Amino acid sequence: MDREIVATCFPGFEDVLENEIVALGGKNLSKRKSAISFMGDKEIIYRANLSLRTALRVIIPILRFSAKRDKELYDKLFYFKWEKYFTKDRSIFIDVTGTTTNFNHTNYIAMRAKDAIVDYYRKKFGERPSVEKDNPDIKITLHFKNDICTVYLNTSGDSLHKRGYRSLRGEAPINETVAAALVLMSGFDGESDFIDLMCGSGTIVTEAWLIANSIAPNLLRDDFSFKNFKDFDENLFESIKKDLKSKEREFNHKMIAIDNDPKMIEIAQKNSQKVANSDSIKFIIGEFDSYKPDNEKGFAVINPPYGERLKPEGLIDLYKRIDFHMKRGLKGYSIGVITSNEELSKEIRMKPFVKKTLFNGGIECSYKVYKIY
Ligand SMILES: C[S@@+](CC[C@H](N)C(=O)[O-])C[C@H]1O[C@@H](n2cnc3c(N)ncnc32)[C@H](O)[C@@H]1O
């Protein structure tokens, strides 16, 4: 049976997430800030968790009510049939988001909600769920918009960027969902070469590899909260995983990752090897402009330093060199550049065909994609 489902993302990625949900078979999509809501069944919920590259969480609204006073809040939650979703043996955690002027503290709302839910179980079953902050079985969010409270059940649990392949981090790693969005927005579809010119811990190139081979990004991940739901259908889940595996394809072009820091290349290799054979991505220790592609079509993404390690003067030269290399060394390429430093990005003196403001780990960045003729 179809129900409302919401997939959340970082601000700026709504369009790319929308495309992914259409491809997944979601129906009646509607775009919100940092989220897409859509209709779908249990199968779509499992598929969304396993396959969406740019989503952070997949949540489902289970209750909506007007909450002007404490008693209303408690009663609505106390008289809800919670056992439809989870049993008394599950651990729970409740958080509160959004804004309301009806209550002073979100901590108080979370505490009252917890009281109502545990009282419900105690009264009906004689026992209550435990509350666990770290790694609860069931995550519940109360989202307030003025007087209206919507209760969401988180079907993912931990953020979906935790794919299970990145155990080692560089100094400024990019979030996996951001990396996937950058690759998708560059236009890369696995039909030509791809270069990550400053790969760091290898997140962008690994996400590009997953896209190139049509590998669902969360197949390696074990933990999903929907596995703790009362209606979890293991056979359905296993058959979806099998179906996703059967849709993987072989990438017949070159995938290159470059960094001038040998430590980073070592980390990137180790991380990517969890999803790709050791020789399928060519890792190069060297300057980003030392590799000259031998064909005239391809895609590249550059995530240069924004100023954490190099002094600004050094960075101006670096961005000038990026501009030079893009024009002279990467003819025929579509190249995406992400940076938080607008002044530095002006050193790339071309008109982008994609220009987006987005957030990478809370830092406002611009992402521009250029086509080099
Ligand atoms: C912001 S980090 C990239 C982070 C990466 N996307 C990740 O997920 O870990 C920038 C990277 O550029 C590399 N770098 C800086 N200057 C370079 C150059 N001239 N040539 C090649 N790599 C360079 C740094 O070693 C660093 O790993």
Side-chain angles (χ1 to χ4, degrees), residues 166 172-174 197-204 259-261 264 286-288 303-305 309 318 321:
R166 189 167 74 179
I174 200 160
L197 285 132
M198 299 192 184
C199 71
S201 60
T203 323
I204 294 170
D259 204 287
N260 63 2
D261 182 341
M264 284 299 141
E287 289 298 307
F288 70 92
N303 176 204
R309 284 194 291 160
L318 182 70
R321 266 175 66 202

